[in-house]
Amino acid sequence: MKKIPVGVLGATGMVGQRFLSLLIDHPYFEVTVVAASERSAGKTLAEAGRWMIGGEMPSQFAKMTVQPVDQVGDVGLVFSALPSDAAGPTEIAWAKSGALVFSNAGAHRRDPLVPLLVPEVNPDHVNLLELQRQQYGWSGGILTNPNCTTTHAVLPMRALHDAFGLTKVLLVSMQAISGAGYPGVPSLDIIDNVVPLIKGEEEKVEWEPRKLLGTLGAQGVEEAQITISAHCNRVAVIDGHTECLSLAFERPPADEAELIAVLREFKAEPQALNLPSAPAHPILVTELADGPQPRRDRDAERGMATTVGRVRRCPILDYKLVLLGHNTLRGAAGGSLLNAELMVAKGLIKA
């Protein structure tokens, strides 16, 4: 297929650079626009800042000139890695210009007309885009992926909700410092320490899964009736969020083996469509007694899978488990890219 020209907003930041790295030789997309703040605009990408995600800046991007993020109209599809405060008005301007915006920011996730999308979880929610266009009168649109913690939690939640009917979830996260962006958490705050507050995180984790697992109707999404309580902590790990979940069900599985079988067998539309960024197995289950662990499991399936372990009965709810996933790959740039690939495969984006 002829490649679709795309832009990356916030291209100088850590998630923006993840987008660029994932778009090298992509079969669907070709980066033709990089955009960032006023401080970087007019410089080459190499002049604007260092390459933060390992190795040297790819030569195909280094000499590209950074344009201001509010210079709209050059491409019809953009990936947004902007911080939420800048993302709000900027993404709206791009949508009004006719561009489809695949946003990693939180600015529009709560908008009832904006799809909050994980392709294995709620691919039908892309249809909300048509209602969004009707209501807002623009030809473009905004689609978001959820918070990185939610992304990895909601994959097993989808499988288990379909099989057993989730009613309650208690979630405790141990989140990597890369989730705070670059330069991240000051060393004197995180070394030899655990920070039991990530502002706004618990609220996101407690409502986003309800929208993702909800039912799309004529007027929007009816949220799933699941009670979620979250404790979110920052820990001294570079990449990879670890999460402990206790789960209650309408129809509890007979034993751990039945629950594990549901997780292992879970596949969805991205796998059926063989999307370029889709993991062959979105959920992996480790049998190691001390797994999963960030250094060992975060890069599973190119960082696009969620690894689950330590499945056992819970004396307060029904079952409990530990999960692990890469926060800046599947939990950020990779998630947005998979959303765009789904739209191409559905014929909703054409070259």
Side-chain angles (χ1 to χ4, degrees):
M1 61 177 288
K2 181 182 177 183
K3 291 195 178 183
I4 299 165
V6 303
V8 176
L9 310 182
T12 57
M14 184 177 291
V15 174
Q17 291 183 2
R18 282 287 186 199
F19 273 122
L20 294 174
S21 69
L22 294 172
L23 288 163
I24 295 171
D25 299 323
H26 193 280
Y28 296 177
F29 307 120
E30 179 181 10
V31 178
T32 60
V33 171
V34 291
S37 66
E38 251 179 47
R39 183 181 66 250
S40 300
K43 300 176 182 178
T44 67
L45 198 59
E47 292 169 340
R50 58 178 290 188
W51 189 252
M52 297 174 285
I53 59 174
E56 296 183 1
M57 183 176 292
S59 58
Q60 68 197 79
F61 302 131
K63 294 184 179 180
M64 293 183 71
T65 300
V66 180
Q67 76 168 45
V69 291
D70 57 359
Q71 183 178 315
V72 301
D74 292 339
V75 289
L77 190 159
V78 293
F79 295 102
S80 175
L82 296 170
S84 286
D85 54 348
T90 301
E91 291 173 359
I92 288 173
W94 278 90
K96 286 181 176 178
S97 78
L100 271 177
V101 181
F102 290 87
S103 175
N104 184 67
H108 301 290
R109 289 177 188 153
R110 281 190 178 271
D111 188 323
L113 298 176
V114 171
L116 181 65
L117 192 63
V118 174
E120 288 93 344
V121 173
N122 59 337
D124 61 313
H125 287 201
V126 299
N127 296 318
L128 190 59
L129 183 61
E130 188 56 40
L131 185 60
Q132 180 190 135
R133 286 169 166 165
Q134 291 173 8
Q135 294 290 325
Y136 291 151
W138 55 41
S139 57
I142 300 172
L143 301 93
T144 66
N145 55 295
N147 174 274
C148 48
T149 309
T150 299
T151 296
H152 287 289
V154 81
L155 283 162
M157 286 172 67
R158 171 84 280 170
L160 298 174
H161 188 48
D162 288 349
F164 309 115
L166 271 173
T167 59
K168 296 179 183 178
V169 178
L170 174 63
L171 183 153
V172 178
S173 72
M174 292 159 277
Q175 297 181 217
I177 54 177
S178 58
Y182 188 88
V185 184
S187 61
L188 288 178
D189 287 342
I190 196 64
I191 294 174
D192 189 34
N193 203 19
V194 172
V195 181
L197 173 66
I198 305 172
K199 289 183 179 179
E201 194 82 355
E202 292 170 355
E203 291 83 356
K204 296 173 190 174
V205 176
E206 289 175 351
W207 74 263
E208 286 180 352
R210 295 201 299 269
K211 184 173 180 180
L212 285 154
L213 297 171
T215 303
L216 180 64
Q219 302 303 315
V221 176
E222 183 179 344
E223 292 184 0
Q225 297 303 300
I226 303 170
T227 302
I228 302 171
S229 178
H231 300 267
C232 295
N233 308 276
R234 188 75 71 194
V235 299
V237 171
I238 296 173
D239 290 314
H241 287 356
T242 302
E243 304 174 40
C244 301
L245 273 63
S246 289
L247 310 156
F249 302 104
E250 294 174 1
R251 308 172 297 279
D255 52 28
E256 291 92 334
E258 184 181 6
L259 189 151
I260 288 169
V262 167
L263 296 175
R264 281 210 167 110
E265 293 166 9
F266 179 74
K267 291 187 178 181
E269 198 163 342
Q271 288 69 46
L273 293 170
N274 196 28
L275 299 180
S277 298
H281 305 281
I283 301 171
L284 301 171
V285 180
T286 177
E287 295 182 358
L288 295 173
D290 61 351
Q293 297 179 15
R295 283 193 297 177
R296 189 168 62 200
D297 298 299
R298 63 190 166 208
D299 294 319
E301 298 264 13
R302 299 165 295 148
M304 292 295 286
T306 298
T307 302
V308 173
R310 300 207 66 214
V311 176
R312 60 226 192 266
R313 290 189 182 272
C314 175
I316 296 176
L317 301 181
D318 292 319
Y319 286 87
K320 53 186 176 179
L321 54 82
V322 179
L323 64 88
L324 183 283
H326 202 301
N327 52 297
T328 66
L329 287 170
R330 183 58 193 254
S336 278
L337 181 56
L338 190 60
N339 288 347
E341 291 172 0
L342 177 69
M343 296 282 283
V344 172
K346 285 178 169 287
L348 300 172
I349 301 173
K350 294 182 173 62

